[in-house]
Amino acid sequence: MNFSQWFSIKERNTNWSTEILAGVTTFLTMMYIVIVNPTMFAAGGMDFGGVYLATIAAVVIATLIMGIVANYPIAIGPGIGINAYLVYTVMRAGGVAWQSALGAALLASGLFIVLSLTSFREMLINSIPESLKMAMGAGIGLFVALIGLENGGLVVGSTSSLVTMGDVTKPTAALTIFGLFITMGLTVLRIKGAIFMGMVVTALVAWGLGELVLPEHFFSMPHGLEHTFLQLSFQEIHLLPMVIFTLLLVTLFDTTGTMLGIGRQAGLIKDGKFPHLKSALLADSIGSFCGAIFGTGPTSAYVESGTGVSAGGRTGFASVVTAVLFLLLIFCEPIAECVAAVPAITAPALILSGAFMVESLVDIDWRDSTEAFPAFFTIVGMPLTFSIANGVGMGIITYALLKLVSGQGKTVHPLLYLLAILFASQIYYQ
């Protein structure tokens, strides 16, 4: 087999060393997910070690498919925003057992696989106006940032208002602020892997202050997967149709948007077309499906892949390199769990991940009230109701109504009206 031809090395004007560097760069920039994702699911009652291995499994499987089959330098891993919804809205606020939440994730990813093989995927994507798609991303960003601020002790509940400023003199809040400024500084200086490096520096400071207790052994054989592997339940599925729909909808838009963005950056989109898009979407949906089986939530294409593309990555071999490096992390669970035990280390990663997602707001036409108001309610609805589903529903309902009132009802896709009715009934009866 000619691997050079398989990965189109010459056709895409690259070489093996450049692709290896790109794969390593992407790995370093998204490595934080193996700590942040298990930490979130542990808050929902799941075993940290099991979710840690499930996270790695989802990344490796999906990213290998993306690299070998679709031949794109795009890494895939559990999405922070959608998994925060699964943990904090569905499991914790909704009181749904994590086994049932994973069951919902499995069904949603199964539907995603089917949609990736049909034309309905394009129709669903096209039915949502661009302003709402961008608002969804920004709203999820605020939702994730709120979770990070809460975990880091920077915002707390209040008797006089929903939230208020936390006590910044406490160790957790002070460390979170330190980690935030370190990570933002590294980002401004364009240091590769700024989020991960910020976590390392914060962890060292926490250790020096006695807040972080190091484990006896930094490395160990993989263990804990028996607590999460195939631990699915469908007993509460009849209560979760909107959860399944939200998982499907958000994952679909998040993944497609990221893939198109990275594809443009890498110069892989020709004449407005994304070659092998179906294979790329299949990689993500299969990753979500396998992730649910192993014990984590939906996966998404990672915007951090753009750092690998900036380093010269143009082929799927960069993704193969990233996947192999993640596989080596299966022996590092003790140090990951020890770091996750200090919220101030992971909180800045959540906060700044949310900040990056708000970038899309600049492209919304705020002068058009029929576009601006729905976008606004989508954005504020997610963090203020602590639910991505509510924010999406508020935006879609508002958009459909305002377009009708303004005489622009025919410009709205019929499927959007159906979605508005479904969300309205869900909000009314919840």
Side-chain angles (χ1 to χ4, degrees):
M1 180 183 294
N2 190 324
F3 289 104
S4 181
Q5 290 183 349
W6 181 277
F7 289 107
S8 304
I9 296 295
K10 292 183 179 179
E11 291 85 344
R12 297 186 183 178
N13 298 314
T14 184
N15 55 66
W16 295 113
S17 60
T18 299
E19 295 301 305
I20 292 173
L21 175 62
V24 172
T25 301
T26 298
F27 167 73
L28 290 175
T29 54
M30 66 176 286
M31 188 175 158
Y32 66 91
I33 190 61
V34 298
I35 298 176
V36 174
N37 192 59
T39 301
M40 287 196 301
F41 278 95
M46 296 185 66
D47 178 75
F48 182 95
V51 181
Y52 177 82
L53 292 177
T55 300
I56 294 175
V59 171
V60 171
I61 292 171
T63 304
L64 280 178
I65 295 174
M66 177 66 76
I68 296 173
V69 179
N71 195 22
Y72 287 125
I74 300 174
I76 297 175
I80 289 182
I82 194 61
N83 283 306
Y85 162 73
L86 197 62
V87 172
Y88 292 95
T89 301
V90 179
M91 296 182 191
R92 297 187 64 175
V96 175
W98 62 263
Q99 294 90 341
S100 296
L102 290 183
L106 184 75
L107 291 179
S109 57
L111 288 172
F112 194 12
I113 292 175
V114 174
L115 291 179
S116 297
L117 296 171
T118 68
S119 59
F120 185 76
R121 168 180 50 82
E122 285 85 357
M123 185 172 68
L124 183 60
I125 292 174
N126 293 334
S127 71
I128 307 294
E130 289 300 315
S131 60
L132 284 186
K133 292 176 186 175
M134 292 181 282
M136 287 179 195
I140 293 172
L142 292 181
F143 178 74
V144 170
L146 177 61
I147 293 171
L149 290 167
E150 182 182 19
N151 290 350
L154 297 184
V155 298
V156 295
S158 171
T159 55
S160 59
S161 62
L162 292 177
V163 294
T164 188
M165 189 75 173
D167 185 352
V168 297
T169 63
K170 290 185 176 180
T172 296
L175 269 175
T176 299
I177 294 173
F178 172 80
L180 270 173
F181 278 97
I182 286 294
T183 308
M184 287 189 293
L186 293 172
T187 302
V188 169
L189 294 174
R190 300 185 182 277
I191 303 298
K192 291 182 173 65
I195 290 181
F196 176 71
M197 292 301 297
M199 291 173 64
V200 171
V201 174
T202 307
L204 290 173
V205 173
W207 173 69
L209 295 174
E211 295 293 321
L212 174 65
V213 179
L214 297 179
E216 293 183 6
H217 305 285
F218 281 12
F219 307 101
S220 70
M221 293 301 293
H223 67 281
L225 197 57
E226 68 276 7
H227 299 300
T228 59
F229 182 69
L230 281 178
Q231 299 299 311
L232 302 159
S233 173
F234 301 99
Q235 294 181 356
E236 299 178 83
I237 290 301
H238 64 287
L239 302 174
L240 303 175
M242 193 53 65
V243 171
I244 296 172
F245 179 71
T246 300
L247 293 174
L248 175 66
L249 194 67
V250 174
T251 304
L252 183 65
F253 294 143
D254 187 22
T255 296
T256 304
T258 301
M259 286 184 183
L260 291 175
I262 300 300
R264 292 190 189 96
Q265 182 183 354
L268 302 177
I269 296 181
K270 306 296 183 183
D271 300 322
K273 295 182 179 179
F274 196 132
H276 310 301
L277 177 60
K278 185 175 293 186
S279 298
L281 287 172
L282 268 176
D284 181 58
S285 55
I286 292 173
S288 293
F289 193 84
C290 293
I293 290 175
F294 280 96
T296 187
T299 59
S300 176
Y302 261 63
V303 70
E304 283 84 354
S305 302
T307 61
V309 171
S310 297
R314 294 294 181 271
T315 76
F317 188 72
S319 295
V320 173
V321 172
T322 300
V324 171
L325 291 173
F326 266 100
L327 185 61
L328 298 177
L329 293 178
I330 62 173
F331 303 105
C332 303
E333 188 268 335
I335 186 63
E337 185 168 13
C338 133
V339 168
V342 182
I345 298 176
T346 55
L350 288 171
I351 297 168
L352 294 182
S353 292
F356 291 137
M357 298 174 74
V358 179
E359 179 186 8
S360 59
L361 290 181
V362 70
D363 296 319
I364 296 176
D365 185 2
W366 295 103
R367 294 168 296 182
D368 183 346
S369 296
T370 64
E371 301 285 336
F373 288 151
F376 171 77
F377 283 110
T378 300
I379 295 163
V380 301
M382 293 183 191
L384 294 184
T385 66
F386 215 66
S387 169
I388 291 175
N390 286 343
V392 172
M394 290 165 66
I396 289 177
I397 293 168
T398 306
Y399 190 90
L401 288 176
L402 291 183
K403 289 296 182 180
L404 279 173
V405 170
S406 64
Q408 304 176 60
K410 292 184 179 180
T411 64
V412 179
H413 196 288
L415 186 56
L416 191 76
Y417 288 119
L418 176 60
L419 296 178
I421 294 171
L422 289 174
F423 274 113
S425 61
Q426 171 67 16
I427 292 174
Y428 180 79
Y429 288 108
Q430 70 180 2

